[in-house]
Amino acid sequence: RRPHAEWLAVEGCPVDVVILEGWCLGFRPVVHNNNNNNNNTTGDEEDDLLAQKKNVSASASALRVVDAFLRADLASVYDLFDAFVALHVRDAGVVYRWREEAEAVRRAAGRGAMTPDEVVAFVDRYMPLYEQYLGPLYATDLVPGHTLHITIDADRAPVDARSSPPPSTP
């Protein structure tokens, strides 16, 4: 990501399409803040309950940090979308391979790159987020009536697609 001062501004001409890509786009908050729930669990107890209920390896406290970001920074961005394309993978573990492929290209070109072990450590840090947020992303339409879900295989080739049904009118 470039510093904000280096962002390009488009002025004086209409823009029909803006493509915004990001690894967490479409993620929605899933863990409730302790202040908003009616149970009396401690953070550790809530972590244990979350792990049992959601089968995730991330702690509830760590997910609350991400949820706060999603609530504060991305929720208002989603309201600006006219359409959304969600790319699905059948197994999020393929991300390890994809990251290593990118790093191998950098190593071959003589540019700074992570070692294979560093790639694993890097992806391990955010894999719990995929475990928590991909299911809800895949199951919902971020822009009702204007969401396209495309499943891709490990080679990034599309294998399935579905669009969201148009919103019903009252």
Side-chain angles (χ1 to χ4, degrees):
R1 179 175 176 194
R2 292 185 179 276
H4 189 265
E6 294 179 23
W7 291 5
L8 298 175
V10 177
E11 298 176 22
C13 63
V15 175
D16 292 323
V17 176
V18 174
I19 297 175
L20 177 65
E21 182 275 335
W23 77 270
C24 67
L25 283 178
F27 289 1
R28 298 268 194 189
V30 295
V31 176
H32 298 290
N33 186 320
N34 271 347
N35 297 332
N36 294 333
N37 64 23
N38 293 325
N39 66 30
N40 294 318
T41 61
T42 65
D44 290 341
E45 290 169 339
E46 187 177 31
D47 288 351
D48 291 343
L49 288 171
L50 181 71
Q52 291 169 12
K53 291 181 181 178
K54 303 288 187 181
N55 192 28
V56 297
S57 57
S59 71
S61 57
L63 291 171
R64 275 194 295 277
V65 171
V66 175
D67 280 354
F69 166 74
L70 293 173
R71 253 191 237 65
D73 295 340
L74 285 182
S76 60
V77 171
Y78 296 158
D79 291 338
L80 301 173
F81 291 178
D82 293 325
F84 187 76
V85 177
L87 297 179
H88 299 224
V89 292
R90 291 193 172 114
D91 177 4
V94 73
V95 173
Y96 289 94
R97 179 179 132 197
W98 291 345
R99 182 75 259 153
E100 174 51 32
E101 288 171 353
E103 296 302 314
V105 168
R106 294 179 61 85
R107 284 192 298 273
R111 300 186 350 233
M114 290 184 273
T115 67
D117 287 342
E118 289 171 329
V119 167
V120 170
F122 174 71
V123 176
D124 278 351
R125 287 195 300 267
Y126 62 83
M127 189 54 67
L129 299 176
Y130 282 157
E131 293 170 357
Q132 185 66 29
Y133 294 103
L134 284 180
L137 171 66
Y138 294 170
T140 60
D141 293 326
L142 191 69
V143 180
H146 302 281
T147 298
L148 177 62
H149 296 268
I150 302 172
T151 302
I152 58 175
D153 65 16
D155 295 319
R156 299 177 185 90
V159 294
D160 187 37
R162 70 173 171 83
S163 60
S164 60
S168 58
T169 53

